[in-house]
Amino acid sequence: MSNRWIPAGRSSNDRRRFYWGEPKPRADSVEVIIRPTRHDAAFLIAQLVEAQIIAHPDVVLGLATGESMEPVYKLLCDAHRNYGLSFSGVRTFNLDEYVGLAADDPGSYRSYMEAHLFSQIDIEANNTHLPNGMAADLEAECDNYERSIAESGGIDLQLLGIGRVGHIGFNEPLSALRSRTRAKALSPATIEQNAAHFGGDHSKVPHRAITMGVGTILDSRRCLLLATGAEKADIIAKAVEGPVTSMISASALQLHPRCTVVVDEDAAAKLSQQEYYRWIFENEPEWKPFQ
Ligand code: GLP
């Protein structure tokens, strides 16, 4: 199994060989890909994103925050720096932003994106979108965000992490499966999980956030969810193999026509059908270049 990255000095034609094909329009099952390590899982996600950018330089990406995504963004920055991967035509929409934090607040997701990706690549600032958590009229801000996504032509490839409560974006338990971008109160479990990003001080974690809805996410053409580490094993098993329920927003991805869940061995540990997922990965021609 090789972890090929596109070798330095190759022409863009060579790089195209790594494209994993047009997204298939079929209504499919959720696909689960198990990679040996956290790095391998992030590497596959980065390869898929890069392939999309090469094939469609004006791709509309949906972006996620969180620790799981950090190695993905690092790999994309490396691809820009070392292999000339250009983001100049790429447009991005982030899943969510805290209410009440200014863009330049170190705890904001705008700051996260600037630090981990935007400041290190050639993306146009105007092409990067996050909800404005400081908007005076939050409802209008949410409607505008939905409108901007629609005007961009819709999200081609949506990256997702998963929270311990099973949220995607900040769609906390009981988020309607058809929900759209809106401001929402965060659950105590999410505040607890995210306190680490506020110096461990729970009182500093905002209590609300603007998030794309589950319905917004389901409208994307393709979803890639990344989960790594043993603390995600329980929730991944429930989201992928359990019933679709608004108690676990990520389970709604079972309704998505083209969703790929990439996990490392630790996060896969509680999936009952691991051998089946490995078999599919080994036998689907689409995945040959990534094995
Ligand atoms: C935050 C984000 C989610 C993300 C989650 C997982 O709550 N709003 O979109 O999926 O973090 O974060 P981590 O990757 O750090 O576990």
Side-chain angles (χ1 to χ4, degrees):
M1 197 176 328
S2 70
N3 259 355
R4 283 175 306 187
W5 195 248
I6 298 164
R10 286 281 184 87
S11 74
S12 58
N13 280 347
D14 290 329
R15 293 163 63 86
R16 269 182 194 278
R17 291 192 298 124
F18 291 82
Y19 179 46
W20 96 99
E22 288 297 324
K24 295 174 193 160
R26 66 188 183 201
D28 210 345
S29 48
V30 171
E31 237 168 344
V32 180
I33 298 181
I34 304 170
R35 308 307 291 145
T37 67
R38 171 181 148 92
H39 173 78
D40 297 316
F43 190 88
L44 177 58
I45 298 272
Q47 277 186 303
L48 296 174
V49 174
E50 168 160 5
Q52 272 291 23
I53 295 172
I54 292 167
H56 300 287
D58 60 349
V59 67
V60 180
L61 297 178
L63 298 180
T65 50
E67 279 169 47
S68 324
M69 288 298 154
E70 288 176 19
V72 174
Y73 294 142
K74 182 172 184 315
L75 286 162
L76 290 174
C77 293
D78 289 348
H80 170 68
R81 198 175 306 113
N82 301 330
Y83 314 122
L85 177 69
S86 177
F87 293 77
S88 60
V90 174
R91 289 160 294 163
T92 66
F93 288 89
N94 265 77
L95 283 165
D96 44 19
E97 180 58 283
Y98 290 109
V99 168
L101 292 192
D104 62 356
D105 187 295
S108 76
Y109 282 161
R110 168 59 78 175
S111 293
Y112 171 105
M113 290 310 305
E114 292 295 337
H116 293 287
L117 186 65
F118 298 156
S119 67
Q120 300 180 56
I121 57 175
D122 62 342
I123 198 160
E124 300 280 338
N126 286 344
N127 285 344
T128 68
H129 303 87
L130 282 92
N132 175 9
M134 295 294 279
D137 184 341
L138 290 176
E139 211 171 307
E141 172 63 17
C142 295
D143 291 347
N144 285 338
Y145 204 64
E146 285 280 335
R147 200 169 309 116
S148 304
I149 293 172
E151 282 170 5
S152 76
I155 291 169
D156 295 309
L157 182 62
Q158 176 68 59
L159 299 187
L160 297 165
I162 183 169
R164 263 181 257 159
V165 294
H167 70 204
I168 44 179
F170 270 133
N171 288 287
E172 300 293 76
L174 291 179
S175 291
L177 301 186
R178 53 178 289 178
S179 52
R180 311 301 306 185
T181 302
R182 69 219 183 283
K184 263 199 83 61
L186 303 181
S187 67
T190 294
I191 290 176
E192 163 91 31
Q193 186 186 341
N194 289 2
H197 305 291
F198 292 85
D201 184 348
H202 294 206
S203 69
K204 293 205 172 119
V205 185
H207 288 187
R208 300 182 79 212
I210 294 179
T211 180
M212 282 186 201
V214 180
T216 321
I217 294 166
L218 291 180
D219 282 351
S220 62
R221 294 186 183 87
R222 180 156 192 175
C223 278
L224 286 177
L225 186 145
L226 172 63
T228 53
E231 66 282 6
K232 297 286 170 71
D234 267 324
I235 199 66
I236 278 292
K238 286 182 185 152
V240 171
E241 294 180 340
V244 174
T245 166
S246 59
M247 283 301 290
I248 299 171
S249 297
S251 70
L253 296 171
Q254 296 176 34
L255 304 172
H256 193 281
R258 194 88 179 96
C259 175
T260 305
V261 173
V262 180
V263 285
D264 64 359
E265 293 282 357
D266 289 342
K270 300 210 169 151
L271 290 165
S272 67
Q273 301 298 314
Q274 292 177 46
E275 290 319 308
Y276 172 59
Y277 307 141
R278 291 182 213 278
W279 170 263
I280 298 288
F281 182 63
E282 280 160 21
N283 286 284
E284 278 290 354
E286 173 185 12
W287 298 114
K288 276 277 173 288
F290 301 100
Q291 283 160 9

